[in-house]
């Protein structure tokens, strides 16, 4: 879902249009609430889900809840390159095209100058379909054809690129989007695209919406300070989210050559605390929280 907000007005007033970057806000469902709604029906029952280029059993917290939630669905569809653990729970698994099997346009975080475009270079195999085909055909069958006037991904790219004056083919020939030259020091005269025209460390938009306009630190709900009684049984602090080469976030674990480089899940622990607990470097250990437990290899 996309929503246009007042911030777009400030960009338009400054630049004459909404911006060189994204022209709309992208809004997403709150993931913990989303999965709990599958289980509880509150605030309403979610009966079907399509997972695309994602693997919630690996990427979402509280995997036990996610596992039970996905099993509760009447229909679960996965559209992906690989058979993931989430795909093993699906009613249908649809093979997706890679960037070489489809025309492709991309930018890094919508930054001007990062745009790239590639043609379809190899034929699709095993009846792989791209995400445009999936959503367009689903929309047409749900009598939303008026919202999908483009019959191909190339036509859709032509529509997206129309403000630049280029077609998709012309964009590929050019190689990148040539943005208008920057006006150095313009902010000194015209300010910034904010309600006050200033760099807002104190967010006036959040203030008008009734939220705290300044960032503040809040103690996590499970910590020795907020729940000292919990710390008596679980005295260690778990920090998650660290990255490890050769993987990229949750990606590349299906590539055999990369899996050989990092075949086992590892956890890092302070050597002094490890020796105190009788854990040697390389031992398999249980990591347990009130939500469940997993086993990983200790790494000093």
């Amino acid at each position: 879902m996309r929503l246009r907000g007042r911030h777009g007005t400030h960009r338009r007033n400054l630049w004459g249009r909404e911006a060189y970057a994204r022209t709309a806000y992208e809004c997403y469902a709150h993931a913990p609430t989303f999965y709990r709604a599958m289980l509880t029906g509150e605030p309403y029952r979610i009966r079907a889900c399509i997972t695309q280029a994602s693997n919630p059993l690996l990427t979402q917290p509280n995997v036990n809840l996610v596992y039970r939630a996905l099993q509760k669905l009447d229909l679960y569809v996965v559209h992906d390159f690989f058979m993931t653990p989430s795909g093993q729970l699906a009613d249908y698994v649809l093979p997706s095209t890679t960037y070489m099997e489809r025309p492709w346009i991309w930018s890094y975080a919508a930054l001007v100058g990062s745009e790239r475009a590639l043609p379809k270079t190899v034929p699709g195999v095993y009846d792989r379909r791209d995400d445009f085909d999936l959503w367009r055909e689903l929309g047409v069958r749900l009598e939303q054809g008026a919202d999908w006037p483009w019959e191909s991904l190339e036509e859709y790219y032509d529509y997206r690129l129309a403000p630049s004056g280029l077609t998709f083919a012309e964009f590929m020939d050019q190689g990148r989007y040539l943005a208008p030259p920057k006006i150095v020091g313009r902010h000194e005269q015209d300010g910034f695209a904010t309600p006050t025209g200033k760099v807002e460390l104190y967010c006036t938009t959040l203030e008008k919406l009734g939220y705290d306009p300044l960032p503040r630190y809040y103690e996590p709900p499970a910590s020795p300070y907020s729940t000292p009684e919990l710390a008596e049984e679980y005295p260690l602090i778990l920090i998650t989210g660290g990255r490890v080469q050769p993987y990229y976030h949750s990606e590349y674990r299906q590539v055999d050559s990369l899996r050989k480089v990092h075949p086992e899940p590892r956890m890092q622990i302070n050597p002094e605390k490890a020796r105190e607990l009788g854990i040697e470097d390389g031992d398999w250990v249980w990591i347990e929280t009130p939500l469940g437990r997993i086993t990983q290899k200790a790494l000093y």
Side-chain angles (χ1 to χ4, degrees):
M1 178 176 72
R2 287 174 178 253
L3 297 176
R4 296 189 180 274
R6 293 186 60 189
H7 189 55
T9 303
H10 303 308
R11 293 198 299 259
R12 188 165 52 250
N13 291 339
L14 181 62
W15 299 106
R17 53 178 175 168
E18 287 200 352
Y20 299 131
R22 298 183 181 185
T23 59
Y25 298 106
E26 292 184 354
C27 300
Y28 302 91
H30 180 248
T33 301
F34 176 71
Y35 291 108
R36 285 185 171 85
M38 293 181 187
L39 283 173
T40 66
E42 297 293 335
Y44 51 82
R45 174 80 186 279
I46 295 175
R47 310 185 72 91
C49 176
I50 299 176
T51 297
Q52 196 167 53
S54 183
N55 183 12
L57 282 179
L58 182 63
T59 60
Q60 295 295 325
N62 198 346
V63 65
N64 289 329
L65 183 146
V66 175
Y67 176 75
R68 290 184 287 114
L70 293 178
Q71 289 187 312
K72 189 80 170 180
L73 293 169
D74 295 341
L75 176 65
Y76 181 40
V77 179
V78 166
H79 187 213
D80 212 323
F81 304 135
F82 304 101
M83 175 57 77
T84 63
S86 300
Q88 292 176 308
L89 297 179
D91 298 294
Y92 297 96
V93 178
L94 308 178
S96 178
T97 54
T98 66
Y99 71 93
M100 293 182 291
E101 298 170 292
R102 54 176 287 179
W104 188 59
I105 190 169
W106 175 88
S107 69
Y108 181 77
L111 295 177
V112 173
S114 70
E115 301 87 351
R116 296 294 183 270
L118 293 172
K120 178 179 178 179
T121 55
V122 298
V125 295
Y126 307 121
D127 198 32
R128 293 179 183 267
R129 307 296 294 274
D130 59 54
D131 50 354
F132 175 84
D133 288 336
L134 173 66
W135 295 113
R136 182 181 186 276
E137 292 183 20
L138 182 61
V140 170
R141 295 191 184 196
L142 294 175
E143 299 182 354
Q144 298 173 1
D147 296 322
W148 296 89
W150 318 279
E151 294 188 1
S152 69
L153 191 52
E154 290 91 339
E155 287 186 22
Y156 175 64
Y157 285 155
D158 287 343
Y159 164 77
R160 290 289 304 273
L161 289 167
S164 71
L166 300 172
T167 65
F168 178 63
E170 291 168 342
F171 185 89
M172 286 191 294
D173 290 339
Q174 182 171 289
R176 63 190 298 178
Y177 174 61
L178 301 178
K182 294 183 179 179
I183 304 175
V184 178
R186 179 172 178 177
H187 65 280
E188 297 177 359
Q189 175 180 342
D190 299 328
F192 295 90
T194 63
T196 60
K198 301 177 181 180
V199 174
E200 290 199 357
L201 303 179
Y202 183 103
C203 183
T204 57
T205 299
L206 287 177
E207 183 179 40
K208 289 179 180 178
L209 292 173
Y211 296 100
D212 193 336
L214 290 172
R216 298 185 185 278
Y217 173 77
Y218 295 93
E219 188 68 31
S223 80
Y225 300 98
S226 56
T227 51
E229 68 282 359
L230 185 65
E232 294 180 4
E233 186 175 358
Y234 299 95
L236 302 182
I237 297 176
L238 175 65
I239 301 174
T240 64
R243 303 292 185 260
V244 61
Q245 295 286 357
Y247 303 134
Y248 178 77
H249 298 302
S250 65
E251 299 177 20
Y252 305 145
R253 285 167 174 77
Q254 296 88 351
V255 180
D256 290 340
S257 60
L258 300 182
R259 193 68 178 243
K260 290 178 182 178
V261 177
H262 190 90
E264 299 161 336
R266 302 174 186 172
M267 53 83 72
Q268 293 177 299
I269 184 172
N270 181 282
E272 293 184 7
K273 176 57 68 173
R275 285 189 286 268
E276 179 184 323
L277 297 173
I279 298 173
E280 298 292 334
D281 189 39
D283 283 353
W284 286 95
V285 299
W286 286 106
I287 305 170
E288 185 173 358
T289 76
L291 297 177
R293 65 176 187 167
I294 60 173
T295 180
Q296 294 190 353
K297 210 169 189 177
L299 176 67
Y300 283 7

